[in-house]
Amino acid sequence: MARKLKIALVGNPNSGKSSVFNGLTGLNQKVANFPGVTVDKKMGFATLKDAQGELIEAEYIDLPGTYSLYPKSPEERIPFQILCDPNNESHPDLTVVIADGTNLKRNLFLCSQIIDLKIPVILVINMMDLVRYKKIEIDFQKLSKRLGIPVIPMNSRKLEGIDELKKALVSPLHIPDNDFIDVRVFSPHVVDTIRSVVHVHSNYNAFLVANNLDLISAFEIHQWKRDKIHAACTENNFDSQQMQARETLERYKIITSLMNDCVVTPDTPIQKTYSYKIDSLLTHRIWGYFIFLIVLFIVFQAIFSWASYPMDLIDQGFQSLSSFVRNNLPAGLINDLIVGGILAGLNGIVVFIPQIALLFFFIGILEDTGYMARVSFIMDRFLRKFGLNGKSLIPLISGVACAVPAIMSTRTIQNWKERMITIMVTPLMSCSARLPVYTLLIALIIPKDYVYGVNLQGLVLMLLYLIGFISAIGVAWIMKSFMKSKERSFFVMELPMYRVPRWSSIGLHIMEKVKIFLFDAGKIIISISIILWVLSSFGPSGEFDRIEQKYSEGVYTSVLPQQEIDRKIQSEKLEASYAGMLGHVIEPVIRPLGFDWKIGIALITSFAAREVFVGTMSTIYSVGDSNSTKHTLKEKMQSEINPITGGPRYTFAVGLALMLFYVFAMQCMSTVATVFRETKKIRYPLIQIVYMSGMAYVASLIAFQLLKP
């Protein structure tokens, strides 16, 4: 049987842990050039072979980034609990510390703490391409000897050094003989008391227990043990803050000596670095905001302009396929189900892939170049006025892609109040699931014109995203008054180096998101499309026969052409179907918004996921229509006549009201579940559903009532 080895990867935020994890496991965890990408532990497995040919089953655990073993935020508690609790099921046999080679002094602080936990440690000095670019010289052999652990240089972006790391992983494990610093001398009685009642491997581990006892909820420490530890701390005047400060000073004394002996850094004034020169523009208090708006403008213009060509091709392809199936399969229910149910639903999914791929392409570039961290920096002062801080911007911007990982990324925010407010307002950011809805409605009511070279449809799309952001900070400002906290707020974020994007990583990220959209959302959309086709194709017994009998009478056949009679029969059958009955139930509530029973069906079916709206409309406008394969969904909706006004159903007022409804409505069950998991209280997702639904209804009502003809 192969030997098993549990290996933890730990390091400062943005040190390249996930890149090393991907290199060791062959997986494709998301990587980006800003702190806080990994907020939960990730697991991966691989088989290694040692020098004797023995197989080793390696279990890798990628831990969230942390600067020390004093957790300040929820995601930093994960490495603390796993590394400091020997009874934790994920407690490693070996720890690999990933350090940013361009900022080695600060990274060595965490490494020195882990050495003192008496766990076998390997130090990986990552980002060697930047180390060489900055002409930093590191004596790896001397550093290894001084630390008492293996030291391996690496450039994880190109997997340089990954073979050397694998070789070190299977070598005999050694625990450093000497402590980096001896913390027992700080408070011998407290350390000895803890070691006598808690299972820990070192004096330093016991010292950390004393400093973080209130955070150790996951440790199995009985109350009598806690009482004994508290009594020892009180008896010896153990002041946690003073102890941490003393430890920090002692560690940095030794680290400074190490750096002087092992590292040579050229004395280049920071003002002469290219990073500083670019930052002076991108983080400028005025130009920084202006440049950010220009970046957003370019992104949304490109999404509409570039994606229109492949979208038209996909639409035409589905029309041809539907015509082929309609003309070559025997007429009947199966033919109708495939054309009006399955193909119509599929078209509603696939046609939006180009826009979703473009959106994630641009997000990937902004993240990987390091620009996203600069945006957080310049937005900090602005967001503080609304009860948020600069770190809130990463979840808010990530919410443009998907609210679920965005809400999880709020774990990097230390202040409880700011984190809760960020969680509560992040779903207001327009996610990629809203994109198909926006695209369809914009194409319906906004002309495809250019004004001074600006695509009007792209401009409206950008405005919808800005409305989401403005409403998010507006709601945050209101919540700031209701939520009370005595915690002090601060914003500390390391600005990463500017880097050329990893195109392969961005490509994999796009493929992953498109795959999720196609298969996760697609399964729901296809299922609902088929169910909806059944509900739209059948009605109460004899109702469809009565409609056909009605239009076979001479009063109609003598004055109306056959094509008009067919259209009226199809329309009345749909209204009399089970789906039509369902839509009529909700119609009185949504009629003041300008919505009819067909839109009502789409609102109900898209409650679990917003993107279902398009698939639902596609199915509704295909059922029973023998000419459905000749027109796109947009053309069918544009030709819809309002029987009351005699004009188009989808006027500018109706289209705008519908867009505003989807800007604000909380129609995503995954987000509701995530908010509950992150807050541990049901009242937060319930409050979100109520206030967002209220905003959606009121905004749509005002828009329609003010703009209706």
Side-chain angles (χ1 to χ4, degrees):
M1 179 182 281
R3 183 158 62 93
K4 294 186 178 180
L5 189 63
K6 202 176 291 182
I7 303 164
L9 305 184
V10 65
N12 287 182
N14 208 35
S15 58
K17 296 182 306 303
S18 296
S19 294
V20 177
F21 177 80
N22 290 341
L24 289 169
T25 60
L27 298 176
N28 293 306
Q29 284 296 331
K30 182 183 177 183
V31 292
N33 191 18
F34 63 85
V37 176
T38 305
V39 294
D40 206 348
K41 69 175 182 182
K42 308 289 183 186
M43 311 282 283
F45 300 88
T47 302
L48 300 170
K49 188 182 287 186
D50 66 13
Q52 290 72 41
E54 182 189 357
L55 293 179
I56 298 173
E57 292 179 3
E59 176 185 342
Y60 296 101
I61 308 164
D62 183 18
L63 297 173
T66 182
Y67 291 104
S68 74
L69 291 177
Y70 292 106
K72 299 288 189 291
S73 58
E75 98 277 13
E76 288 184 350
R77 292 180 191 175
I78 297 172
F80 171 77
Q81 289 170 341
I82 289 177
L83 296 174
C84 298
D85 180 8
N87 296 323
N88 190 297
E89 61 178 5
S90 297
H91 188 72
D93 305 308
L94 170 64
T95 301
V96 179
V97 178
I98 316 296
D100 173 0
T102 63
N103 209 338
L104 195 55
K105 185 174 183 179
R106 192 200 59 214
N107 284 252
L108 283 176
F109 183 84
L110 175 65
C111 182
S112 71
Q113 288 184 312
I114 295 174
I115 287 173
D116 283 344
L117 289 178
K118 298 299 179 187
I119 305 171
V121 181
I122 295 173
L123 174 62
V124 168
I125 298 182
N126 198 15
M127 304 187 187
M128 284 304 298
D129 54 334
L130 294 179
V131 171
R132 288 187 283 266
Y133 175 79
K134 289 188 166 187
K135 299 180 180 175
I136 300 172
E137 297 177 11
I138 303 173
D139 189 331
F140 299 104
Q141 286 189 347
K142 187 184 282 187
L143 185 61
S144 173
K145 189 174 180 182
R146 290 283 302 269
L147 291 172
I149 59 174
V151 177
I152 297 172
M154 180 177 287
N155 175 10
S156 60
R157 287 167 70 97
K158 295 186 176 179
L159 298 183
E160 294 172 4
I162 202 77
D163 291 335
E164 289 77 4
L165 175 58
K166 288 180 179 177
K167 191 175 175 183
L169 292 174
V170 297
S171 300
L173 307 178
H174 295 292
I175 295 174
D177 296 327
N178 302 319
D179 290 332
F180 197 83
I181 62 171
D182 183 9
V183 292
R184 185 179 177 278
V185 299
F186 296 174
S187 188
H189 181 66
V190 171
V191 170
D192 292 343
T193 301
I194 292 174
R195 293 208 69 172
S196 68
V197 296
V198 179
H199 175 215
V200 291
H201 291 315
S202 68
N203 291 337
Y204 183 59
N205 205 339
F207 183 75
L208 284 175
V209 169
N211 277 289
N212 299 285
L213 192 57
D214 294 337
L215 299 176
I216 305 178
S217 56
F219 284 28
E220 289 186 4
I221 301 179
H222 297 296
Q223 189 57 47
W224 70 268
K225 293 182 179 179
R226 289 179 179 274
D227 293 342
K228 190 170 182 179
I229 295 170
H230 275 301
C233 291
T234 304
E235 184 183 338
N236 292 275
N237 298 319
F238 188 93
D239 186 311
S240 179
Q241 288 191 343
Q242 286 183 4
M243 290 294 170
Q244 287 182 40
R246 187 175 173 186
E247 179 201 339
T248 302
L249 287 174
E250 292 297 321
R251 287 192 186 280
Y252 271 117
K253 276 183 191 173
I254 301 176
I255 290 170
T256 302
S257 167
L258 270 174
M259 292 293 292
N260 291 335
D261 285 352
C262 307
V263 181
V264 178
T265 304
D267 188 18
T268 306
I270 191 169
Q271 290 81 357
K272 289 188 177 180
T273 62
Y274 79 93
S275 180
Y276 180 85
K277 292 173 182 173
I278 298 174
D279 279 345
S280 63
L281 180 63
L282 295 185
T283 60
H284 190 273
R285 60 180 181 173
I286 296 173
W287 294 114
Y289 294 108
F290 185 66
I291 292 171
F292 181 48
L293 282 177
I294 290 178
V295 168
L296 288 182
F297 177 78
I298 293 171
V299 167
F300 290 115
Q301 286 289 307
I303 286 175
F304 243 100
S305 300
W306 297 356
S308 62
Y309 303 106
M311 288 177 75
D312 289 343
L313 286 176
I314 292 171
D315 235 341
Q316 290 166 10
F318 268 94
Q319 283 182 49
S320 301
L321 181 60
S322 298
S323 295
F324 177 80
V325 174
R326 175 77 76 192
N327 297 327
N328 288 278
L329 280 183
L333 277 179
I334 299 297
N335 190 316
D336 290 342
L337 171 62
I338 295 174
V339 175
I342 298 173
L343 288 180
L346 269 177
N347 189 16
I349 306 166
V350 179
V351 74
F352 295 105
I353 287 178
Q355 287 187 326
I356 288 173
L358 274 173
L359 176 67
F360 283 103
F361 172 72
F362 286 115
I363 289 176
I365 290 177
L366 296 179
E367 288 180 347
D368 227 29
T369 53
Y371 179 65
M372 201 68 89
R374 271 74 187 178
V375 176
S376 293
F377 175 75
I378 62 172
M379 294 294 282
D380 179 57
R381 181 180 296 179
F382 173 75
L383 292 176
R384 281 189 181 282
K385 299 172 183 172
F386 301 92
L388 305 168
N389 80 15
K391 283 191 176 179
S392 302
L393 192 73
I394 296 293
L396 291 177
I397 295 292
S398 301
V400 171
C402 179
V404 172
I407 288 169
M408 291 176 66
S409 70
T410 60
R411 295 177 188 178
T412 60
I413 302 172
Q414 289 92 344
N415 184 283
W416 173 84
K417 179 179 175 181
E418 291 171 347
R419 180 170 181 247
M420 285 299 110
I421 293 177
T422 306
I423 289 174
M424 294 300 285
V425 302
T426 293
L428 283 168
M429 298 298 291
S430 290
C431 62
S432 58
R434 287 174 168 111
L435 188 58
V437 183
Y438 290 166
T439 304
L440 175 64
L441 297 174
I442 288 173
L444 268 179
I445 63 169
I446 304 297
K448 201 174 180 179
D449 294 337
Y450 284 81
V451 178
Y452 298 110
V454 176
N455 184 317
L456 273 184
Q457 294 182 332
L459 187 62
V460 172
L461 182 65
M462 178 180 167
L463 289 175
L464 289 174
Y465 276 78
L466 284 178
I467 289 172
F469 177 72
I470 292 169
S471 59
I473 59 174
V475 173
W477 181 75
I478 295 171
M479 288 186 174
K480 174 187 171 186
S481 304
F482 289 100
M483 289 189 177
K484 304 295 179 187
S485 173
K486 293 182 180 178
E487 281 183 86
R488 292 181 61 189
S489 173
F490 56 91
F491 174 63
V492 178
M493 174 179 273
E494 180 187 357
L495 293 183
M497 290 281 293
Y498 290 105
R499 307 202 70 162
V500 176
R502 286 164 285 196
W503 301 113
S504 60
S505 172
I506 292 176
L508 288 170
H509 187 53
I510 292 172
M511 285 177 61
E512 181 194 353
K513 294 300 179 186
V514 169
K515 189 176 166 187
I516 289 172
F517 177 73
L518 267 179
F519 293 99
D520 288 6
K523 281 186 286 190
I524 300 172
I525 292 172
I526 290 294
S527 303
I528 290 180
S529 295
I530 293 174
I531 294 170
L532 201 58
W533 175 85
V534 173
L535 292 175
S536 305
S537 300
F538 298 94
S541 177
E543 191 62 24
F544 284 10
D545 293 338
R546 184 192 64 76
I547 294 170
E548 291 199 2
Q549 179 66 32
K550 170 185 166 184
Y551 283 99
S552 66
E553 294 173 359
V555 65
Y556 294 105
T557 56
S558 60
V559 295
L560 294 175
Q562 187 57 44
Q563 190 177 3
E564 179 64 14
I565 290 176
D566 291 342
R567 194 189 66 77
K568 284 182 175 294
I569 290 174
Q570 172 208 330
S571 176
E572 287 197 24
K573 277 186 174 179
L574 185 59
E575 194 165 352
S577 66
Y578 293 118
M581 294 168 66
L582 184 67
H584 281 297
V585 171
I586 192 178
E587 193 173 23
V589 179
I590 60 175
R591 192 179 295 130
L593 313 183
F595 304 163
D596 67 350
W597 58 272
K598 290 181 183 176
I599 297 175
I601 296 173
L603 293 182
I604 293 172
T605 55
S606 63
F607 182 78
R610 301 176 182 95
E611 57 270 43
V612 174
F613 173 85
V614 178
T616 300
M617 298 302 279
S618 185
T619 301
I620 288 174
Y621 280 92
S622 298
V623 171
D625 184 1
S626 58
N627 294 319
S628 66
T629 59
K630 296 178 182 175
H631 305 287
T632 63
L633 174 60
K634 184 184 79 174
E635 291 167 344
K636 292 171 193 171
M637 293 174 72
Q638 278 176 330
S639 63
E640 170 86 356
I641 300 297
N642 186 331
I644 299 174
T645 64
R649 159 67 64 193
Y650 293 95
T651 60
F652 179 77
V654 172
L656 183 63
L658 201 46
M659 280 192 281
L660 288 174
F661 187 89
Y662 276 95
V663 166
F664 298 116
M666 175 71 164
Q667 292 185 281
C668 180
M669 293 311 294
S670 301
T671 303
V672 172
T674 304
V675 171
F676 173 66
R677 191 180 66 179
E678 292 297 311
T679 60
K680 314 290 185 196
K681 290 185 171 60
I682 190 65
R683 70 169 179 266
Y684 291 109
L686 289 179
I687 291 171
Q688 268 180 328
I689 291 173
V690 171
Y691 94 76
M692 289 180 68
S693 301
M695 286 177 69
Y697 192 91
V698 172
S700 300
L701 179 68
I702 293 172
F704 179 72
Q705 294 300 328
L706 288 179
L707 298 174
K708 70 180 180 181

